Amino acid sequence: MRALPVGDAALLVEVSSGDEAQALHAELVRRRAEGSLSVREIVPAARTVLLDGLTDPARLAAELTASEVPPAPPRAGAVIELPVRYDGPDLADVAAHWGVSPEEAARIHAGTEFTVAFCGFAPGFAYLTGLPARYDVPRRATPRTAVPAGSVALAGPYTGVYPRSSPGGWQLIGTTDAVLWDHTRVPAALLSPGTRVRFVGAT
């Protein structure tokens, strides 16, 4: 673990894997909830966690780098279910990459419980983990200039849902009508780090 200063009141903590980043995020959120950590923002990413609004970042950096982060606790809370039509233009390619039929690829994806590892790229876009490493898929060689809103997509170890139309190079396997970002909703993002997610196949 490495803790790097960011300005006068923030730290960027680097770890070696996504699992470690999720465990560190869960531990820091737990400490803040119990009152032993005073911090304004805790922002996880693929292999980092940013802490902003610290009063003594140097002390916390020394504490974190001298300790071991406990494994992330069992995930609690309700599972958010997202209805999905497995009708994406890249489903057949993903199935071929996995060595299964498109129908079986849809069953594998729908049979997985995902967790939001972190958010980014666009408001409401969540990077979901849960598929075993053997189901990692490469990005498309040529990104699309416009991916439709609601597209369910895969890239590397992640599943994501495009909250709005945007360019993108992920493999599109399905479509959902779920609203991922609504500025009139509190919170505006449907998915946040640590949220458990399941995709439910719809006809």
Side-chain angles (χ1 to χ4, degrees), residues 22-46:
Q22 290 183 53
L24 177 60
H25 174 256
E27 173 64 10
L28 294 170
V29 168
R30 183 194 67 78
R31 291 188 191 182
R32 180 171 64 178
E34 74 176 14
S36 63
L37 174 64
S38 176
V39 59
R40 184 172 63 251
E41 297 284 346
I42 305 173
V43 183

Side-chain angles (χ1 to χ4, degrees), residues 110-135:
T112 301
E113 182 178 296
F114 294 88
T115 301
V116 178
F118 57 97
C119 298
F121 169 63
F125 190 95
Y127 291 76
L128 308 171
T129 58
L131 285 170
R134 66 181 179 274
Y135 295 127

Side-chain angles (χ1 to χ4, degrees), residues 13 40 92 138 147:
V13 184
R40 184 172 63 251
V147 175

Side-chain angles (χ1 to χ4, degrees), residues 12-112:
L12 183 69
V13 184
E14 296 180 341
V15 292
S16 59
S17 70
D19 288 343
E20 288 184 19
Q22 290 183 53
L24 177 60
H25 174 256
E27 173 64 10
L28 294 170
V29 168
R30 183 194 67 78
R31 291 188 191 182
R32 180 171 64 178
E34 74 176 14
S36 63
L37 174 64
S38 176
V39 59
R40 184 172 63 251
E41 297 284 346
I42 305 173
V43 183
R47 286 183 296 276
T48 62
V49 178
L50 175 70
L51 297 100
D52 191 19
L54 299 168
T55 56
D56 192 349
R59 182 190 61 78
L60 182 60
E63 176 191 333
L64 290 175
T65 54
S67 61
E68 290 189 8
V69 177
R75 300 175 183 100
V79 177
I80 290 182
E81 294 186 345
L82 300 181
V84 58
R85 297 177 296 279
Y86 286 100
D87 57 2
D90 301 321
L91 179 61
D93 290 342
V94 169
H97 185 76
W98 289 356
V100 300
S101 68
E103 294 76 16
E104 180 61 16
R107 282 193 291 270
I108 290 168
H109 191 261
T112 301

